[in-house]
Amino acid sequence: ATDQTAVSDLKVFPVPTSDYIQFSGLRDQPHQVAIYNLEGHFITKRDLRTNEAINIQDLVSGAYIMRIFGEDVNRSFRILKID
């Protein structure tokens, strides 16, 4: 079961960004990040360590949905990649 209070402080920043997305509020356990375009098509999935940044420089400029999931979290955020 997901402990909603454990992830209520989860933050994704900065938005918009041209290079890296950072995270705060994740517990120290394995997580994955999946990125989808706004039509729902899968773009990429990456492993995420606690408070690690994800490089999105290879994405084309535009809006995306970033889903963060693991044992304690399953949340989606809208991100904006700019050049």
Side-chain angles (χ1 to χ4, degrees):
T2 300
D3 180 357
Q4 292 299 326
T5 60
V7 295
S8 61
D9 293 332
L10 178 59
K11 295 192 178 23
V12 174
F13 60 95
V15 175
T17 186
S18 61
D19 48 15
Y20 291 90
I21 292 285
Q22 296 181 308
F23 306 87
S24 67
L26 287 174
R27 286 186 175 175
D28 188 18
Q29 49 190 252
H31 295 88
Q32 289 190 316
V33 172
I35 299 176
Y36 302 86
N37 65 19
L38 293 184
E39 290 79 40
H41 296 117
F42 173 78
I43 304 296
T44 187
K45 184 172 15 173
R46 302 176 185 169
D47 292 327
L48 176 66
R49 293 181 194 85
T50 303
N51 299 325
E52 177 184 41
I54 294 289
N55 183 336
I56 63 164
Q57 292 174 332
D58 57 334
L59 296 179
V60 175
S61 293
Y64 295 89
I65 301 298
M66 176 178 283
R67 182 175 157 235
I68 303 167
F69 55 99
E71 185 177 312
D72 66 333
V73 63
N74 186 355
R75 300 245 333 248
S76 295
F77 295 87
R78 185 176 170 145
I79 61 169
L80 184 62
K81 163 66 165 64
I82 58 174
D83 282 332

